């Protein structure tokens, strides 16, 4: 909502800048505050070098942290828009939060993503909603291309909290690939994770071209990760299991959490990795991790849509 003495403030959908008249005084209404169409935050410029469109062959994973305070969905959307992966797996995701993130990505940053969910809990404390209709909590996959053959599996033993994996088939850099998103049991529950990885690895092994993304809550040398390492490498170059903590979790592996451990992985089967990136974020205790795959064929950018004036 703007009060001004002359020219109006204009929010350009899909653009990265807000043009404002020097005489305008604005009050930004956040969603739910009564603005038309629910209101949208005003978008400032993204950092220099931010992606202009969903990047073909770029896949990412991010535990967005729940609970990590409220009102972070616009910031999370801005983080994703900065790197614009073609596919990104989110853990600790509430359905309502992801819907807001998708809305901001499309209406503010012009990035259109499809979504599939793999909820393992209906939890009022984590995700809000009415006590008799709590929000879904678990995994989500955002993809710029359509997704098919969705499967959502809860592990037989989740440990202290239900856990599972979500799998879809989608196009990455123009080629079909099976994509898995998982969140394993908490860090002190190695035996539980061992059973979970057995379930995940058995399904992963069925596919010639597949990607496993997620928060494994285990460092690279953890014994329970052995079945994954036997099937595929992680995209962090030089990061492999080792018999010593120093070698496995020190110089050769990039940490992915605020407590300086590597818990987040991109395992590739039948696909060659390219460059690997880890980006800390103020919106989660996990860093956003993404990989640009070596592109086996030319693929055009997934262009951002033209400007629109309203919400669908």
């Amino acid at each position: 909502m703007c009060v001004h003495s002359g020219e109006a403030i204009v929010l350009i959908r899909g653009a990265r800048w807000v043009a404002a008249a020097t005489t305008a005084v604005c009050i930004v209404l956040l969603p739910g505050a009564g603005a038309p169409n629910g209101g949208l935050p005003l978008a400032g410029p993204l950092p220099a070098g931010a992606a202009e469109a969903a990047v073909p062959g770029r896949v990412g994973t991010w535990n967005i942290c729940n609970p990590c305070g409220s009102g972070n969905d616009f910031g999370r959307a801005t983080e994703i828009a900065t790197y614009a992966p073609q596919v990104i797996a989110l853990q600790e995701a509430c359905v309502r939060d992801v819907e807001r993130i998708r809305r901001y990505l499309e209406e503010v940053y012009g990035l259109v993503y499809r979504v599939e969910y793999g909820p393992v809990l209906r939890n009022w404390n984590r995700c809000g909603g009415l006590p008799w209709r709590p929000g879904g909590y678990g995994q989500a996959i955002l993809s710029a291309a359509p997704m098919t053959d969705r499967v959502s599996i809860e592990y037989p033993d989740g440990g202290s909290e239900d856990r599972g994996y979500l799998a879809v088939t989608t196009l990455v850099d123009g080629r079909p690939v099976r994509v898995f998103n998982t969140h394993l049991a908490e860090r002190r529950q190695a035996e539980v994770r061992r059973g979970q990885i057995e379930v995940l690895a058995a399904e992963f092994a069925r596919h010639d071209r597949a990607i496993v993304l997620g928060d494994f809550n285990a460092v690279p040398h953890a014994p329970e990760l052995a079945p994954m390492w036997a099937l595929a490498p992680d995209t962090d170059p030089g990061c492999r299991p080792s018999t010593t903590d120093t070698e496995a979790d020190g110089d050769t592996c990039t940490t992915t959490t605020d407590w300086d451990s590597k818990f987040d992985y991109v395992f590739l089967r039948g696909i060659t990795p390219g460059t690997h990136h880890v980006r800390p974020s103020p919106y989660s205790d996990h860093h956003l991790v993404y990989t640009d795959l070596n592109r086996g064929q030319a693929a055009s950018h997934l262009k951002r849509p033209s400007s629109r004036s309203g919400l669908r």
Side-chain angles (χ1 to χ4, degrees):
M1 176 179 179
C2 294
V3 179
H4 56 84
S5 59
E7 297 177 74
I9 296 233
V10 180
L11 170 61
I12 303 174
R13 308 290 187 199
R16 295 174 176 257
W17 194 261
V18 178
T22 57
T23 55
V25 178
C26 283
I27 301 172
V28 178
L29 295 180
L30 296 177
N37 293 324
L40 287 170
L42 296 180
L46 292 178
E52 291 296 331
V55 180
R58 178 171 291 179
V59 297
T61 182
W62 193 18
N63 182 323
I64 59 176
C65 187
N66 183 311
C68 267
S70 60
N72 289 337
D73 293 331
F74 181 64
R76 289 164 174 159
T78 301
E79 295 282 275
I80 294 170
T82 298
Y83 310 112
Q86 192 173 4
V87 173
I88 185 164
L90 303 178
Q91 302 88 43
E92 297 195 15
C94 293
V95 171
R96 291 182 180 91
D97 290 345
V98 174
E99 285 303 315
R100 283 191 291 268
I101 290 170
R102 284 182 69 216
R103 181 172 180 240
Y104 296 147
L105 285 168
E106 179 172 357
E107 298 299 331
V108 177
Y109 295 112
L111 286 166
V112 179
Y113 285 101
R114 286 82 169 176
V115 64
E116 291 289 353
Y117 296 102
V120 294
L121 292 173
R122 298 284 175 182
N123 193 296
W124 182 82
N125 288 329
R126 280 195 180 272
C127 295
L130 300 173
W132 55 90
R133 193 181 176 186
Y137 168 84
Q139 286 71 248
I141 296 176
L142 302 182
S143 174
M147 291 176 278
T148 60
D149 303 320
R150 171 193 171 274
V151 173
S152 181
I153 299 295
E154 285 193 40
Y155 295 123
D157 183 0
S160 56
E161 180 180 83
D162 293 350
R163 297 290 164 92
Y165 74 79
L166 171 66
V168 301
T169 297
T170 188
L171 296 179
V172 176
D173 198 19
R175 300 184 64 188
V177 62
R178 193 67 171 165
V179 177
F180 295 81
N181 177 14
T182 193
H183 186 198
L184 300 188
E186 294 180 355
R187 69 182 83 174
R188 294 180 179 86
Q189 300 172 357
E191 286 305 311
V192 176
R193 289 196 300 275
R194 188 187 306 274
Q196 294 171 348
I197 288 174
E198 288 177 358
V199 173
L200 176 64
E203 184 61 26
F204 184 35
R206 294 180 59 245
H207 301 275
D208 294 332
R209 281 178 50 83
I211 303 171
V212 174
L213 306 161
D215 173 9
F216 281 70
N217 270 319
V219 294
H221 65 277
E224 65 269 22
L225 284 186
M228 294 301 301
W229 289 116
L231 290 170
D234 176 60
T235 59
D236 188 352
C239 183
R240 299 294 180 267
S242 171
T243 57
T244 66
D245 290 356
T246 301
E247 183 181 353
D249 227 15
D251 295 338
T252 59
C253 295
T254 306
T255 60
T256 66
T257 66
D258 286 352
W259 52 92
D260 295 330
S261 291
K262 177 178 171 62
F263 278 5
D264 305 272
Y265 296 83
V266 179
F267 287 107
L268 301 182
R269 183 170 170 82
I271 304 170
T272 304
T275 56
H276 178 82
H277 308 267
V278 178
R279 299 291 185 253
S281 169
Y283 304 107
S284 177
D285 54 357
H286 285 249
H287 308 337
L288 194 157
V289 178
Y290 71 89
T291 293
D292 289 314
L293 307 179
N294 274 343
R295 301 177 61 187
Q297 59 186 34
S300 60
H301 266 40
L302 299 169
K303 296 296 186 182
R304 298 198 176 194
S306 59
S307 299
R308 289 182 298 279
S309 58
L311 300 172
R312 294 200 305 271

